[in-house]
Amino acid sequence: MSATSYIPRRVNWNAKSRAPQRDGAQWDFEDDEAVEELTLGSNPLTEQVPVVETVDPDEVSVVVDQASMTYRVRSQTEYRKSTNWFARQVKKVLGSGWAEVPALEPMSFIVNHGETVGVIGTNGSGKSTLMKLLTGKVRPSSGEVYATSTPIMLGVNAALVKTISGRENIRLGCLAMGLSPKQAEEKYDLIVEISGLKDALDMPLKTYSSGMQSRLQFAIATAVDPDILLIDEALNTGDAQFRARTKKRLDEVRAQAGCVFLVSHSLGTIKQMCTRVLWVEQGRLLADGDPEWVCQQYEEYTAHKSQERKRSAQIVYDRTLLKHSPVQVRFKEGTRPRRAG
Ligand SMILES: Nc1ncnc2c1ncn2[C@@H]1O[C@H](COP(=O)(O)OP(=O)(O)OP(=O)(O)O)[C@@H](O)[C@H]1O
């Protein structure tokens, strides 16, 4: 079912504004004609008036301005869709055509210094794609992503060398992140402390568990005092003690006027670490706000989905979307940050 295809059977239609009443989700089941209207054309239930947000150049870290993403991939079966016989045969002989995979619909938001932003969503909803756009290494298909400094991405698969020791990986990692050998030396103790891996540092990395490797990656990435830190699923493997250290370190990064994005399927981690949560679902920014509230909607949605209650899940989806006001970004004259990357 598409994002906008669910239409409640009857809605309490606000005659003055011609908009459905939103707050409290009090649907009134009396006006039959309203149902007819709702089914015509685009669905007004999910049409929202954008809220204009002005970017404060002294506060801003990241601006996503109507950014969308569609992947173009080679497809072995795409030639079948071509209606032109000749084109179909040519594509068949060449063995492929191009298929488009829509991953993110246009979305806008502003993140300021000092925010830790959680990003949640079910598998394939577009979280990692959003992270790629934030790094600036992938250009959006439309719109733009701006950042006040180069975002540092910390992913579970970020490069560590398996055959050398943890100690050598720390040195190498620091150099790879642009520190001089002297700066790397100065950061060494801090990295060891954050990682909590003092006793294992002389062992080759291949003897580390995946949790230990994640801890080392996290410690290296945050030790260089990133202004904008992107973390994709890296924190879920740590134990309780490491999570406490992680939170402390993220608070420090935030306090240094940085901002942190944290992608995670663990709502506990998100609620514990984040000051704000973006819920991306079916490529759409469905909610942007208070971690408790957003996580609660998400939990309800996924509970319905896992029980195959599609209609109930869609109701939660639409209800959440109704509460979300899309943002229209406005820059003050001459204060646009540079493109991310
Ligand atoms: N390199 C790519 N080429 C083509 N399609 C892609 C590519 N990367 C992602 N996609 C598609 O884009 C959509 C969003 O994928 P993405 O990896 O961003 O989701 P996700 O929310 O991070 O998922 P997960 O929670 O499983 O990691 C999916 O439909 C996916 O198949």
Side-chain angles (χ1 to χ4, degrees):
M1 197 182 293
S2 81
T4 54
S5 62
Y6 165 73
I7 297 165
R9 280 182 57 81
R10 295 170 189 176
V11 175
N12 184 11
W13 206 218
N14 180 332
K16 272 193 197 137
S17 67
R18 306 304 291 156
Q21 289 186 356
R22 289 204 237 155
D23 291 332
Q26 295 287 327
W27 305 116
D28 181 2
F29 292 85
E30 278 170 6
D31 186 354
D32 267 321
E33 286 178 10
V35 178
E36 294 301 316
E37 278 189 49
L38 281 170
T39 56
L40 291 173
S42 62
N43 183 355
L45 272 176
T46 51
E47 270 176 18
Q48 304 276 311
V49 181
V51 175
V52 178
E53 275 188 26
T54 305
V55 177
D56 181 343
D58 297 328
E59 291 291 318
V60 72
S61 277
V62 171
V63 180
V64 173
D65 186 10
Q66 284 298 305
S68 76
M69 183 66 195
T70 300
Y71 292 101
R72 275 192 94 221
V73 287
R74 278 200 175 276
S75 159
Q76 295 300 316
T77 54
E78 189 63 19
Y79 73 87
R80 289 182 195 151
K81 293 185 189 157
S82 187
T83 48
N84 180 313
W85 180 87
F86 183 71
R88 199 162 56 237
Q89 297 311 312
V90 170
K91 284 179 182 172
K92 191 175 175 183
V93 170
L94 290 176
S96 65
W98 288 97
E100 295 202 329
V101 183
L104 284 181
E105 289 185 22
M107 62 175 69
S108 300
F109 55 87
I110 300 169
V111 176
N112 289 326
H113 301 320
E115 292 193 88
T116 299
V117 182
V119 182
I120 59 174
T122 54
N123 288 130
S125 58
K127 305 178 295 298
S128 302
T129 302
L130 178 58
M131 290 296 115
K132 285 185 207 162
L133 295 187
L134 293 178
T135 61
K137 297 208 166 68
V138 174
R139 310 282 325 135
S141 308
S142 69
E144 199 48 86
V145 178
Y146 303 94
T148 47
S149 69
T150 306
I152 290 182
M153 177 80 169
L154 171 71
V156 263
N157 299 320
L160 287 176
V161 184
K162 301 263 178 198
T163 48
I164 62 176
S165 68
R167 189 184 298 278
E168 287 165 309
N169 264 293
I170 292 177
R171 293 225 170 78
L172 213 63
C174 286
L175 298 180
M177 293 182 77
L179 298 192
S180 68
K182 187 164 176 289
Q183 287 169 324
E185 197 59 46
E186 286 164 6
K187 292 287 181 189
Y188 183 81
D189 289 342
L190 175 66
I191 295 173
V192 174
E193 191 205 323
I194 299 169
S195 72
L197 293 169
K198 196 166 175 215
D199 297 335
L201 285 177
D202 290 321
M203 307 283 279
L205 207 78
K206 61 185 172 198
T207 64
Y208 287 28
S209 70
S210 60
M212 289 162 81
Q213 293 184 28
S214 300
R215 285 157 66 159
L216 194 59
Q217 281 174 336
F218 176 79
I220 296 170
T222 57
V224 299
D225 297 329
D227 192 30
I228 301 169
L229 178 64
L230 314 176
I231 305 175
D232 199 341
E233 292 291 357
L235 301 176
N236 292 341
T237 43
D239 56 28
Q241 202 188 357
F242 175 62
R243 283 153 87 98
R245 266 202 300 270
T246 305
K247 172 141 181 42
K248 183 167 164 273
R249 185 61 193 147
L250 290 186
D251 287 345
E252 284 166 9
V253 171
R254 262 186 12 216
Q256 290 156 9
C259 80
V260 179
F261 284 85
L262 172 60
V263 176
S264 180
H265 285 288
S266 159
L267 296 186
T269 305
I270 292 283
K271 283 191 249 181
Q272 193 187 357
M273 310 271 180
C274 300
T275 53
R276 169 182 173 188
V277 172
L278 308 179
W279 176 7
V280 180
E281 197 59 47
Q282 298 168 26
R284 193 169 194 174
L285 182 58
L286 198 57
D288 173 359
D290 173 56
E292 281 295 334
W293 187 83
V294 178
C295 289
Q296 195 186 338
Q297 309 311 305
Y298 179 69
E299 266 172 315
E300 212 179 310
Y301 175 79
T302 49
H304 289 311
K305 288 273 269 194
S306 61
Q307 304 281 321
E308 293 285 322
R309 293 192 296 258
K310 291 186 186 162
R311 193 175 154 81
S312 303
Q314 191 66 39
I315 290 172
V316 177
Y317 182 103
D318 287 343
R319 189 186 67 193
T320 310
L321 190 59
L322 277 172
K323 297 252 182 195
H324 176 62
S325 303
V327 166
Q328 188 182 331
V329 175
R330 199 173 72 85
F331 294 96
K332 287 180 192 159
E333 194 64 31
T335 62
R336 201 175 282 251
R338 64 169 193 253
R339 288 196 324 202

